[in-house]
Amino acid sequence: MQGFTVRAAADADMPAVRHVAESFGLLTGWPAAGDFLDAERAFGTLLIASADARETHGFGGTLRRGAVTHLGDLFVLRGHQSAGAGRALLSQLLAGDGPKVTFASSDPRAVSLYVQYGLRPWCPLLYLTGPAAGLPAPPVGETRPEDVAPLDARAAGGARPGTLAWYAAIPGVTPYATDRGYAFARVTDGQIVIGPAGGETPQDCARAVLGALAATTGGTFPHVARIAVPGVHPLVPVLIGAGWRISDMDTFMADDAALAMIDPGRYIPHPDLG
Ligand SMILES: CC(C)(COP(=O)(O)OP(=O)(O)OC[C@H]1O[C@@H](n2cnc3c(N)ncnc32)[C@H](O)[C@@H]1OP(=O)(O)O)[C@@H](O)C(=O)NCCC(=O)NCCS
């Protein structure tokens, strides 16, 4: 087992962090400056692990929503896995009190480590991809991040007004709302990413997502959309029934405290921001 030093990522570390992230294809969907790694540094924690002072061998990042810690990333370069770097990063990232959530990959080392930090696998998180047009189109209106922040805090288990404002300022990102739901949509190169989205009830969340999809496409333009949908969410049968495909699958994991605050039936996380 190698010894790994763990410390906060500084500006000078970011090219190396992005090199690790790119080796796992994490930066597709973030074509321009300002990505989820910047968000983790600004609104959470971004740590790097190094076996020697010259190289970055892995990184992990969290985002905060009130008391909730969302573990967004844990990645170790392939040649250095299973040598303790992941555990070393987690022991600092998840050291604090408070509810914790993450989306675990199918790597058994990830699930095993997260269980050892008090999280349990709760439901699948399906990354669904399909045509944005041709679905029911409930009416939505454009809104401001500060106007949906209170409902987001209830749906996501904690407040993150800074993260929402940061995301809404990225070109192509628009928050939409109904009277009982909200959904952020981002358009990049003909692809739409939805999330975060939520509602007072699961159906309210579903209506906001469908409305945001329709508003973004204008009903006709052939966009492809990508949404991370918890398995218990009512959108799963709607989208799969409409021919959407499962492009990837993670496991929504949470500790008991987080599960008391988050109902994955009325919440659609952003794939990278939680
Ligand atoms: C997941 C990942 C971050 C873990 O980091 P790592 O440095 O490889 O992991 P560590 O060596 O610190 O710990 C791995 C643990 O998994 C355990 N493990 C390995 N195979 C296992 C299995 N099949 N079942 C259960 N536990 C297993 C090991 O015993 C070890 O636990 P221990 O410290 O108690 O011995 C890393 O392997 C990785 O980057 N994987 C690919 C990317 C990925 O999927 N990341 C997760 C995103 S959610």
Side-chain angles (χ1 to χ4, degrees), residues 151 180 198-207 233-234 263 265-267:
L151 179 52
R180 293 169 57 85
E200 302 292 357
T201 67
Q203 290 304 334
D204 292 331
C205 178
R207 287 175 59 79
H233 198 286
D263 173 1
R266 59 179 277 218
Y267 180 53

Side-chain angles (χ1 to χ4, degrees), residues 24 74-76 80-87 103-105 107-110 112-114 116:
F24 290 100
L74 191 72
F75 290 90
V76 176
H80 296 270
Q81 293 173 357
S82 296
R87 178 178 287 280
F103 312 146
S105 73
D107 190 322
R109 295 167 295 192
S112 165
L113 285 171
Y114 305 157
Q116 292 174 62

Side-chain angles (χ1 to χ4, degrees), residues 132-186:
L135 292 161
V140 292
E142 285 188 28
T143 186
R144 300 177 305 174
E146 59 267 35
D147 293 334
V148 298
L151 179 52
D152 176 72
R154 292 200 297 284
R160 51 173 163 180
T163 311
L164 296 182
W166 170 86
Y167 188 51
I170 290 177
V173 175
T174 308
Y176 294 95
T178 65
D179 55 344
R180 293 169 57 85
Y182 71 98
F184 283 70
R186 180 178 189 182

